[in-house]
Amino acid sequence: SVSKKIATAFFACASLAMILMVVDYVWIYQPLVELITPAGSAKSAEFVTYHKASKYINEIDLTLCLVAALAICWPLGTQSQAKTDSQ
């Protein structure tokens, strides 16, 4: 049914976004923090690589969260409403 597909889309997008957030934190953010400690130190080429990777992962995360939000808020339509109302 439509509601199952919407719920599946929401769960898939939300789960993938959470997994990517953990990946970003563990394998990108933590090494990135080490590269800029102490504050004010020069930024290396490695910093730029990690920073770009973090930026792209965050863009994907935001897109997945947007899709999940749209899926969960999407109206079911009149046919599904009619079935619900008649029961």
Side-chain angles (χ1 to χ4, degrees):
S1 74
V2 173
S3 60
K4 268 190 177 178
K5 289 179 184 177
I6 290 173
T8 301
F10 167 76
F11 183 74
C13 288
S15 297
L16 186 55
M18 289 299 295
I19 290 167
L20 281 175
M21 288 177 198
V22 170
V23 167
D24 181 44
Y25 181 77
V26 172
W27 285 290
I28 296 175
Y29 177 76
Q30 289 181 335
L32 194 59
V33 168
E34 290 176 15
L35 291 173
I36 60 169
T37 304
S41 59
K43 311 287 190 281
S44 65
E46 190 178 15
F47 169 85
V48 174
T49 302
Y50 277 115
H51 188 264
K52 283 183 181 178
S54 182
K55 181 177 75 170
Y56 295 136
I57 285 179
N58 288 332
E59 288 172 357
I60 293 168
D61 278 335
L62 285 173
T63 302
L64 288 168
C65 289
L66 175 64
V67 171
L70 288 172
I72 204 70
C73 293
W74 199 260
L76 293 177
T78 56
Q79 187 178 28
S80 294
Q81 286 291 344
K83 286 181 184 177
T84 305
D85 293 341
S86 66
Q87 293 179 353

